[in-house]
Amino acid sequence: MEAGVDLFGDVVTLPSGKRGRPAHVACQKNRNKVIMLLALGWSNQRIAGALHISLPTLRRYYFSELKARDVQRDRLDAWRFEVVAEKAATGDIPAMKELGRLIDRNDRALAAARVADEPQAEPLGKKEEARRAATDLSRDGGAWGGDLRVGWA
């Protein structure tokens, strides 16, 4: 049985005369591909199609990778930070600029998450706004310059 490689580097086996498709062999390259596609948010059906396997085969051979679906995006981002930081440490100026952009983007995302987690204050009604405005005016005198302070003689 001769084997070749297709356009994307996948091994193509020629028919051997036996019935059925040859058994899938999970390799590290395919495991890394599954992890990358999970990090990009692909569905199981789409990943199985990219690997030319069925959904049951995907679940059978790549169960541990699929189980960690929720953390794969964070792992990808951490790996990107690591690669760019290593290049920046060697004095690579574009890598330093990219590291700065990654850090800024990360800081913005963290700030947005903090703001989203804070409880929102309920809007005040007209009566409560008027009461608070009156309380504030009586403290510093408001437009009267302190002439109407309580207890002033």
Side-chain angles (χ1 to χ4, degrees):
M1 175 170 37
E2 293 183 33
V5 178
D6 69 2
L7 178 66
F8 299 111
D10 294 330
V11 176
V12 177
T13 56
L14 300 175
S16 64
K18 296 180 183 177
R19 297 180 73 178
R21 183 191 294 186
H24 177 74
V25 178
C27 62
Q28 192 58 45
K29 181 179 176 184
N30 283 343
R31 290 187 188 288
N32 291 339
K33 190 183 293 188
V34 169
I35 290 169
M36 179 65 68
L37 297 176
L38 286 171
L40 295 175
W42 285 31
S43 67
N44 288 356
Q45 181 69 41
R46 195 170 173 197
I47 294 170
L51 294 176
H52 303 290
I53 59 176
S54 65
L55 271 173
T57 303
L58 178 72
R59 289 187 198 112
R60 178 179 178 187
Y61 290 99
Y62 303 101
F63 175 77
S64 60
E65 287 83 3
L66 295 173
K67 192 169 81 170
R69 174 186 299 272
D70 297 336
V71 298
Q72 297 302 353
R73 183 56 183 229
D74 293 336
R75 292 183 66 213
L76 174 64
D77 289 341
W79 174 77
R80 287 179 61 206
F81 270 99
E82 180 182 357
V83 169
V84 172
E86 286 174 1
K87 283 199 165 256
T90 64
D92 187 353
I93 300 298
M96 289 180 188
K97 290 179 181 180
E98 181 62 23
L99 182 60
R101 282 192 289 270
L102 287 172
I103 291 171
D104 288 342
R105 189 178 323 143
N106 185 61
D107 291 347
R108 282 194 305 272
L110 289 175
R114 275 190 231 117
V115 168
D117 289 344
E118 290 179 5
Q120 299 295 322
E122 298 220 6
L124 299 177
K126 292 180 182 178
K127 290 181 182 179
E128 182 61 24
E129 283 180 8
R131 186 187 69 73
R132 289 187 182 186
T135 305
D136 291 342
L137 287 177
S138 67
R139 252 187 244 138
D140 65 355
W144 291 89
D147 291 340
L148 298 178
R149 279 193 210 145
V150 178
W152 185 70

